[in-house]
């Protein structure tokens, strides 16, 4: 659920702020979890779009 909420925020806020808002202790923990789930970092996901 946290990662899904984070996806909606990508592109609207810095990743550091998104990580805190969705409950991760650190941006690196958020980026690692996001990349594991979606196969790319939050920045690349936002840049490429969800369907890429």
């Amino acid at each position: 659920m946290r990662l899904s909420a984070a996806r909606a925020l990508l592109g609207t806020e810095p990743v550091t702020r998104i990580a805190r808002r969705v409950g991760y202790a650190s941006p690196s923990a958020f980026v690692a979890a996001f990349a594991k789930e979606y196969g790319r970092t939050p920045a690349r996901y936002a840049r490429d779009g969800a369907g890429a």
Side-chain angles (χ1 to χ4, degrees):
M1 266 178 90
R2 293 188 295 168
L3 292 175
S4 181
R7 281 189 341 199
L9 298 171
L10 288 174
T12 65
E13 297 185 29
V15 170
T16 301
R17 188 175 299 153
I18 293 171
R20 283 192 218 121
R21 283 187 64 176
V22 298
Y24 282 86
S26 69
S28 60
F30 168 67
V31 170
F34 193 97
K36 183 176 181 181
E37 181 69 22
Y38 297 109
R40 52 197 158 168
T41 65
R44 183 167 179 197
Y45 186 94
R47 183 177 57 245
D48 294 347

